[in-house]
Amino acid sequence: MHISFLNHANGRYFWVAIALVGASIVAYLLQEPHQTPNGGTWLGYTLGTMGALLILWLIYLGRRKRNFAAGWGTVRGWVSAHVYLGTSLLVVATLHTGFQFGINVHTLAYVLMCVVIVSGLFGVWAYRTYPEARNELKRSQTLDDIFLQLEDIDGQLKRDVNALAADIRGVVSSAIDRTEIGGGMYAQLAGVDSSKVMIDGNVYPNTDQVRVVAWLVERLSLAEGSETGKLSAVVRSYGARQKLLQVIRTDIRFQALQEAWLYLHVPLSIALLAALLTHIVSVFIYW
Amino acid sequence: MFEIAVIGAGPGGLSAAARCAELDVDHVLLESSPKIANTIQKYQKGKHVMAEPGILPLRSPIEFDAGKRETILGNWETGIKTVGVNIQYGAEVKAISGSQGNFVISLMNGEEVLARHVILGIGLQGNPRQMGVPGEQSEVVQYTLDDPGEYKDESIAIIGAGDAAIENAIALAANNKVYIVNRKDEFARAKEGNLNLIMAAIDAGTIECYYDSSPAGVEELEGGDFPANLQLKTATGDAIVPLHRIIARLGAIPPRKLVESFGIEFPSEDQNAIPALTSQYESNVTGIYVIGALGGYPLIKQAMNQGYEVVEYILGHDVKPADNDLLAAKFNGLPYEVEVDGVLALMQERIPVFADVNALQFRELMLDSNVSMPAKGDVIFKQHDYTNTFFTILEGTVEIEVNPTLRITANAGSFFGEMSLMSGRRRSASVYAGPQCIVIETPRRSMIKLISSVAAVKRVLDETFIVRTIQQKFAPDTPIEELQPIAARAKMHQFQPKEVIFKEGDEADTLHFIRNGSVTVSIEIDGRDVVMSYVPANTPIGEMALLGNTTRSATVKAAVKTETISLDKESFSLLLERSAGLKERLQAMVKDRHEQNVALQSNSESSDLMSFLMGQGLGEATDVLLIDENICVGCDLCESACAATHDGTSRLNRKAGPTFAHIHVPTSCRHCEDPSCMKDCPPDAIQRGGLGGEVFIGDNCIGCGNCERNCPYGVIQMAYKTEAPSSYWSWMLFGLGQKPGRGKAAVVGESSFKQAVKCDMCKDQSGGPSCVRACPTGAAMRLSPEDFVDLVNVVR
């Protein structure tokens, strides 16, 4: 029970990866001393072939996870193997290079591979971190639930301020209308909040609703008679609204972070495939 | 005086009247509504109606084949005109008096109809309950609503506060001014979804509600903007509402009351009971015959065949029932030189449990059953199989292997398989065929129907169940005869969900054995109930205190509707004496439970989670999909996988459903022990299968939607089949076709219709449930309630 892709089958693929890395290192250290480490030795060819096949297989995960009728294994098992064997590629491919780098297509393929692997490792961390953080943040509710609560509070606030002075009505409804959630990729990842509020005909930034809350609190100190009670209720509701917006914005940011790495990982894998083909073809033709 | 009066112009009644007309028998067909086949008229427009069971031939003067609702109704209307049926519309029957040869049928409109014989084919829908106030017969009052879209810009009052009333009110409010009249001060009877909808509509002012109000009269108006006034008695005085239309949704009067008032007897109080009938459909009142759904035959074709046959029987013609050939084929190969009726009689004579079943019911039972002649040593079923059919032995013997060292021989005339039948759980023993044996295998649904209508069958099964349970669970080496006196002292109990079976601190005087359902064990810590564990059916409970001779150490409550068998202290001691090793076995069980309890006790979050799972009705689950929100990345591959492997419709909704801590219960079938969906499926299309125990819907589903309504967890949907998925590579490389598992549109053609779909646990997929196999992180898991204790303990 409760087995994630990291401890799938008691970490079977972790040990497979360790064995692969260990065997590669031992073979590398034991290779005939008079040979310079190079992709062209028998060991170089072996490691290169292994690495290339591994890359093809790793990329095939994109197909396997959509092949829902497939009977072989579970996607969890595939992901487990993908993570561990993919990471082992860092060692296998590095040994294949024999530490010969340059400004050429061969090194390009290597660098692309490293970037793909590092983005993947970030992905592992993100998948292990963000879902739990988001669940805790939302206290087991869905984002849709929280949006519904926000809608309720907005409706409530708009009704409540109807009974209050025009300046309060104006500020609160403009703050509600000019609240911004989400936005472009950067805005989501960085949690940018470009909400605004209009006070006395001027539009001010209202990041995290701080401006409007400050205004309301100040206005409350000036309130008199029956206005005081009603306005303090509005201030309380607005505080709750601020909290909900924080949760929503943080959740969106976490979700963006949880998924952003894929936009690097997948396209660069394709680029890696192209560079790898070029590397192999050029090696056989020009070497 | 008519020779035959047919009441109810449904499929059975139409067929019977048409046969009368064809034979020139003096007849009348009485129909309460203004059209034929009221139930089918109410189907939505263009609905595809099926002609199950496919193997049964149709025998009727009027046509019927699978097709559109309109075509079928059209055929029937032409059919009865062609043969010249004498039909009276608007003739609602109030009472029947007299006897064969001289029945007096009184109608609501005051008329009386005289007939020598009466055929009742009134179905199960019942008549809508009337308002019971002056003016209720007015033109503006109606009792059904077929198409809410028909009405625009009207003022309409809905009378009633049930689901039907709320659904009508919400639908009509889109284009009309709607009032809802509620006798109480809240909508207590409504489903939660409907309750939220109506409260929101009342808050928003789109529907106006009269609480604590009841109608006092309807007054028709001449001229003016509104054709009628509705007079209301409200808590604050009288009110008058001008209206265009009044829709009364006050439920229906079940036909049973009416039928009983004719003198027809039902064998039990059970709501599923059907009147006792002879093999010629005659009731206990000589001269009154019952056909169709009321007689226990819910399918159109069956009813039509019966309509034909019953007329033949009344006229004294010797016709074989339409199913005769089917039975003959079933009995083909049996070593008996007699006709179908002879074989049936022989079966009832040889098998005591069926002795009290009437001939018609037995015939139906055998139509559903299979007769087989397994070779000696063949496996009939294996221990832990998920099958739940019931077996009777017609010839020879079978060997029941309770455990590797104990084999019991069951003789001809006895039965087996009743444990799984009753508990809905896996087989508790393996059964092998003996020499020259012939066994009859009866499906669970047919047996449940029989048990609910024939008390004698229930009694025999219960008694056997008790003694066999005692033998299997406590005293495997003691012969049945020695256990009889102990069994005789055992009692059966029924508990409602959450009802306490015994309380912590009570004196321990009985041992309970859970026959079906399941229970939770809880203890009180700091004044609150902390759930310690979950105990499924086929397990004893309460043995701890009896063994140690102490008070109860925990409170046991029914998790779902539960039946137990109890043994008192003396019987228990007697059992301990008789059965060597029982004490040691029970002590080992007690030790396991103590360990479990300690593990849970130390962690109140675990026990809250357990309570949450039980609160979701998962106590009656056998296999449920849960999602660990802490590792779910929301990729929805589970849904895609489900859709891709099931005709394009996902049977699970990941986002829907509640979450507690980080365990999420998505909307998806949990394969209940005693599935509500199976209770009312006319073609018996919902089955429980193979090794996984999955509940699945077969292709013979007629799309009636009963299961969708009956499922308390909302996991069944009605859906069209979709086209075959497009190729992955053409999507991947060229963007052609649909993304795998997504957005495939159903091709809705002339003959396509919606069928019920639900999780079938991927019984046709190699490798198991695709939702779990497609989950990349391991968040999706399928569990049975026995695993919950491990789950809540691992989850921190």
Side-chain angles (χ1 to χ4, degrees):
Chain A
M1 215 148 323
H2 229 63
I3 296 160
S4 83
F5 59 93
L6 289 181
N7 53 2
H8 172 82
N10 295 319
R12 176 193 296 156
Y13 296 105
F14 171 75
W15 295 110
V16 171
I18 289 291
L20 182 63
V21 167
S24 304
I25 292 174
V26 169
Y28 188 85
L29 294 178
L30 293 183
Q31 66 182 320
E32 292 173 55
H34 60 269
Q35 268 188 328
T36 335
N38 185 299
T41 65
W42 70 266
L43 179 68
Y45 274 128
T46 311
L47 291 172
T49 312
M50 245 168 30
L53 290 176
L54 259 178
I55 289 173
L56 288 178
W57 174 82
L58 289 164
I59 289 176
Y60 190 72
L61 178 70
R63 167 63 185 135
R64 172 58 186 89
K65 72 170 187 171
R66 293 184 179 88
N67 189 4
F68 302 116
W72 15 287
T74 61
V75 175
R76 184 181 75 195
W78 273 72
V79 170
S80 184
H82 183 90
V83 167
Y84 290 120
L85 296 180
T87 310
S88 73
L89 199 53
L90 268 181
V91 175
V92 173
T94 306
L95 295 179
H96 167 67
T97 65
F99 301 94
Q100 300 174 18
F101 302 107
I103 309 286
N104 53 35
V105 70
H106 315 295
T107 303
L108 174 69
Y110 177 76
V111 170
L112 281 172
M113 185 202 74
C114 291
V115 178
V116 170
I117 294 174
V118 170
S119 67
L121 288 173
F122 175 80
V124 172
W125 178 79
Y127 271 24
R128 291 298 290 157
T129 313
Y130 288 121
E132 188 166 351
R134 291 171 63 199
N135 189 44
E136 225 153 85
L137 176 74
K138 291 179 289 182
R139 293 165 186 269
S140 304
Q141 302 169 94
T142 63
L143 193 56
D144 292 349
D145 291 340
I146 295 174
F147 268 112
L148 281 178
Q149 292 166 28
L150 181 66
E151 223 171 85
D152 285 350
I153 278 200
D154 285 358
Q156 185 65 42
L157 275 169
K158 284 190 170 174
R159 275 195 297 277
D160 288 354
V161 292
N162 267 339
L164 290 167
D167 60 330
I168 303 174
R169 203 154 63 227
V171 168
V172 169
S173 42
S174 87
I176 292 175
D177 294 344
R178 288 166 192 260
T179 297
E180 295 211 8
I181 293 171
M185 183 146 158
Y186 173 73
Q188 288 190 29
L189 284 170
V192 174
D193 179 0
S194 41
S195 301
K196 305 271 192 307
V197 60
M198 190 150 83
I199 300 171
D200 299 332
N202 301 319
V203 175
Y204 299 99
N206 187 26
T207 304
D208 198 23
Q209 308 295 312
V210 169
R211 183 85 189 216
V212 67
V213 171
W215 187 89
L216 281 171
V217 170
E218 199 187 316
R219 182 68 179 71
L220 181 60
S221 65
L222 306 173
E224 286 172 2
S226 74
E227 198 186 44
T228 317
K230 286 178 188 159
L231 186 55
S232 69
V234 166
V235 172
R236 268 200 308 281
S237 300
Y238 213 96
R241 178 172 195 271
Q242 188 184 23
K243 267 258 151 47
L244 286 179
L245 282 170
Q246 283 164 358
V247 170
I248 290 171
R249 203 160 274 124
T250 313
D251 190 58
I252 289 175
R253 191 170 136 247
F254 281 2
Q255 182 173 8
L257 285 165
Q258 180 187 310
E259 282 160 11
W261 63 277
L262 277 168
Y263 291 91
L264 213 58
H265 193 72
V266 176
L268 287 187
S269 301
I270 305 296
L272 164 61
L273 190 63
L276 182 69
L277 280 175
T278 317
H279 158 69
I280 293 169
V281 170
S282 61
V283 163
F284 281 106
I285 294 179
Y286 300 111
W287 220 267
Chain B
M1 167 97 47
F2 294 104
E3 184 62 35
I4 296 176
V6 184
I7 301 174
L14 286 170
S15 183
R19 186 61 183 158
C20 290
E22 211 174 37
L23 297 173
D24 270 334
V25 175
D26 196 14
H27 71 280
V28 63
L29 174 57
L30 303 171
E31 168 58 40
S32 64
S33 73
K35 283 180 182 165
I36 59 160
N38 196 19
T39 305
I40 295 163
Q41 298 279 5
K42 281 191 207 139
Y43 287 178
Q44 81 229 31
K45 285 180 188 134
K47 181 179 162 63
H48 183 88
V49 179
M50 292 188 78
E52 291 293 319
I55 44 164
L56 190 69
L58 177 74
R59 188 196 254 176
S60 172
I62 53 175
E63 246 181 86
F64 172 61
D65 209 347
K68 268 192 167 161
R69 161 189 172 274
E70 288 74 14
T71 318
I72 290 167
L73 290 171
N75 282 346
W76 287 352
E77 265 155 26
T78 1
I80 59 170
K81 272 198 200 107
T82 318
V83 293
V85 166
N86 171 30
I87 181 164
Q88 275 188 34
Y89 292 107
E92 190 177 343
V93 173
K94 193 164 64 178
I96 301 177
S97 57
S99 58
Q100 186 173 24
N102 189 23
F103 284 113
V104 181
I105 303 165
S106 320
L107 304 183
M108 284 290 184
N109 59 17
E111 282 177 35
E112 288 191 339
V113 176
L114 305 180
R116 291 199 176 85
H117 303 92
V118 175
I119 299 173
L120 273 185
I122 60 174
L124 287 172
Q125 299 283 320
N127 288 319
R129 198 167 267 131
Q130 314 251 326
M131 288 196 290
V133 297
E136 64 176 15
Q137 298 296 338
S138 158
E139 288 278 297
V140 301
V141 180
Q142 64 190 61
Y143 293 92
T144 59
L145 175 66
D146 294 339
D147 180 7
E150 266 179 54
Y151 309 113
K152 282 205 169 65
D153 305 322
E154 291 194 357
S155 285
I156 303 174
I158 312 284
I159 319 283
D163 287 313
I166 294 173
E167 280 158 20
N168 287 176
I170 301 278
L172 286 167
N175 297 315
N176 302 281
K177 168 77 194 147
V178 175
Y179 304 89
I180 187 161
V181 178
N182 185 350
R183 208 153 41 86
K184 302 233 175 79
D185 59 355
E186 55 174 3
F187 289 87
R189 279 185 299 129
K191 281 195 287 212
E192 201 179 319
N194 280 334
L195 182 67
N196 294 338
L197 285 175
I198 189 79
M199 293 320 293
I202 293 171
D203 282 347
T206 51
I207 294 176
E208 195 172 322
C209 180
Y210 283 95
Y211 287 108
D212 286 317
S213 304
S214 50
V218 179
E219 183 193 357
E220 289 195 34
L221 304 175
E222 295 294 325
D225 289 343
F226 296 98
N229 272 340
L230 173 65
Q231 296 152 354
L232 288 176
K233 270 205 191 81
T234 73
T236 52
D238 292 351
I240 286 182
V241 191
L243 293 167
H244 294 96
R245 194 174 300 283
I246 296 166
I247 303 176
R249 300 311 304 264
L250 302 164
I253 304 166
R256 176 165 172 166
K257 286 242 163 65
L258 179 72
V259 174
E260 281 178 327
S261 77
F262 303 157
I264 294 174
E265 286 164 9
F266 284 72
S268 78
E269 285 304 311
D270 195 302
Q271 56 167 350
N272 298 320
I274 46 177
L277 303 175
T278 68
S279 61
Q280 304 200 324
Y281 313 117
E282 194 168 13
S283 70
N284 61 305
V285 180
T286 316
I288 300 186
Y289 296 77
V290 177
I291 58 171
L294 180 64
Y297 299 85
L299 296 174
I300 296 173
K301 208 196 277 175
Q302 291 171 333
M304 293 182 74
N305 285 352
Q306 292 181 348
Y308 176 100
E309 287 157 15
V310 74
V311 171
E312 298 289 331
Y313 293 143
I314 292 174
L315 298 176
H317 299 167
D318 180 27
V319 290
K320 293 255 179 289
D323 54 33
N324 210 59
D325 292 345
L326 297 177
L327 281 173
K330 220 164 246 198
F331 298 157
N332 188 19
L334 294 186
Y336 307 120
E337 298 289 318
V338 285
E339 294 257 323
V340 167
D341 290 340
V343 179
L344 289 171
L346 183 89
M347 286 173 165
Q348 285 204 272
E349 193 185 295
R350 293 219 181 143
I351 305 170
V353 68
F354 292 142
D356 288 329
V357 181
N358 78 49
L360 189 63
Q361 269 179 316
F362 187 67
R363 191 179 185 98
E364 180 69 11
L365 197 71
M366 285 306 110
L367 264 179
D368 292 344
S369 304
N370 270 322
V371 183
S372 61
M373 293 187 281
K376 181 170 187 285
D378 279 2
V379 177
I380 297 178
F381 57 71
K382 278 291 232 191
Q383 190 172 20
H384 302 316
D385 276 2
Y386 249 118
T387 51
N388 50 24
T389 47
F390 176 76
F391 287 86
T392 40
I393 310 169
L394 184 60
E395 295 262 0
T397 57
V398 302
E399 301 278 314
I400 302 173
E401 188 184 83
V402 181
N403 60 48
T405 55
L406 177 70
R407 274 193 176 214
I408 303 166
T409 303
N411 297 317
S414 64
F415 55 85
F416 56 95
E418 79 288 351
M419 293 251 188
S420 295
L421 173 80
M422 293 292 177
S423 66
R425 292 270 167 173
R426 301 168 184 227
R427 297 290 190 193
S428 57
S430 298
V431 177
Y432 302 92
Q436 276 103 46
C437 98
I438 302 178
V439 292
I440 305 172
E441 180 180 10
T442 308
R444 178 164 200 254
R445 192 183 88 116
S446 314
M447 274 314 286
I448 298 290
K449 210 160 112 185
L450 189 69
I451 290 168
S452 63
S453 51
V454 185
V457 173
K458 181 170 165 51
R459 200 181 54 243
V460 173
L461 286 182
D462 284 350
E463 282 166 4
T464 312
F465 186 92
I466 291 174
V467 69
R468 284 196 184 160
T469 301
I470 293 174
Q471 185 185 39
Q472 264 195 23
K473 297 291 165 180
F474 302 115
D477 306 324
T478 319
I480 287 273
E481 299 74 47
E482 283 185 41
L483 294 173
Q484 295 288 13
I486 298 178
R489 294 170 60 116
K491 291 198 184 95
M492 307 264 287
H493 306 265
Q494 280 195 350
F495 298 95
Q496 295 306 311
K498 298 199 177 133
E499 195 178 334
V500 173
I501 297 174
F502 54 75
K503 256 190 117 61
E504 190 177 346
D506 281 358
E507 194 201 338
D509 49 2
T510 47
L511 165 86
H512 286 266
F513 181 85
I514 307 165
R515 185 189 196 197
N516 58 41
S518 53
V519 303
T520 56
V521 181
S522 56
I523 57 168
E524 204 178 286
I525 299 176
D526 302 332
R528 57 189 274 274
D529 249 4
V530 175
V531 177
M532 313 292 294
S533 66
Y534 160 90
V535 182
N538 272 344
T539 328
I541 190 117
E543 76 289 347
M544 264 162 86
L546 274 187
L547 274 178
N549 224 345
T550 59
T551 55
R552 299 290 190 198
S553 59
T555 300
V556 170
K557 276 188 206 164
V560 293
K561 208 172 157 203
T562 299
E563 279 189 331
T564 69
I565 297 166
S566 73
L567 287 180
D568 57 25
K569 217 170 183 169
E570 290 74 48
S571 307
F572 185 66
S573 322
L574 213 62
L575 267 181
L576 285 179
E577 258 169 48
R578 296 255 171 103
S579 181
L582 173 62
K583 194 164 187 174
E584 289 70 26
R585 281 206 314 279
L586 286 175
Q587 274 164 346
M589 251 174 83
V590 169
K591 187 174 149 263
D592 283 353
R593 276 202 199 149
H594 276 310
E595 277 168 5
Q596 251 185 31
N597 290 359
V598 171
L600 263 172
Q601 209 161 340
S602 52
N603 191 335
S604 84
E605 196 189 323
S606 300
S607 101
D608 287 348
L609 182 53
M610 189 65 141
S611 305
F612 161 75
L613 294 172
M614 290 301 142
Q616 295 308 313
L618 294 181
E620 64 174 323
T622 61
D623 186 288
V624 62
L625 175 65
L626 297 178
I627 292 177
D628 181 349
E629 289 285 350
N630 276 358
I631 42 178
C632 172
V633 293
C635 65
D636 276 335
L637 277 181
C638 45
E639 282 190 23
S640 301
C642 186
T645 47
H646 294 91
D647 296 321
T649 306
S650 173
R651 284 103 199 271
L652 77 100
N653 184 341
R654 180 186 61 82
K655 279 190 186 160
T659 307
F660 182 85
H662 42 146
I663 296 300
H664 176 64
V665 186
T667 301
S668 156
C669 178
R670 55 275 298 279
H671 304 274
C672 300
E673 260 170 44
D674 187 9
S676 301
C677 55
M678 283 171 85
K679 280 174 192 155
D680 188 13
C681 174
D684 205 5
I686 306 180
Q687 300 285 337
R688 167 149 241 160
L691 286 173
E694 69 279 357
V695 176
F696 62 96
I697 303 175
D699 268 345
N700 55 335
C701 166
I702 57 173
C704 68
N706 281 356
C707 52
E708 185 197 20
R709 285 186 290 276
N710 285 342
C711 173
Y713 307 110
V715 304
I716 302 183
Q717 349 158 26
M718 308 301 294
Y720 289 109
K721 284 201 171 151
T722 52
E723 59 186 314
S726 47
S727 143
Y728 168 78
W729 291 112
S730 63
W731 168 76
M732 180 73 233
L733 298 175
F734 311 110
L736 298 174
Q738 293 84 23
K739 195 175 170 183
R742 282 290 161 80
K744 270 184 293 148
V747 189
V748 181
E750 267 295 287
S751 62
S752 53
F753 64 100
K754 283 187 175 179
Q755 283 182 310
V757 298
K758 65 177 277 297
C759 166
D760 60 2
M761 242 146 97
C762 288
K763 66 185 177 66
D764 300 324
Q765 300 289 322
S766 57
S770 64
C771 49
V772 173
R773 283 195 300 123
C775 178
T777 64
M781 51 194 149
R782 298 203 74 103
L783 301 178
S784 86
E786 290 91 316
D787 307 327
F788 289 169
V789 171
D790 294 334
L791 174 76
V792 299
N793 274 329
V794 175
V795 174
R796 285 140 285 111

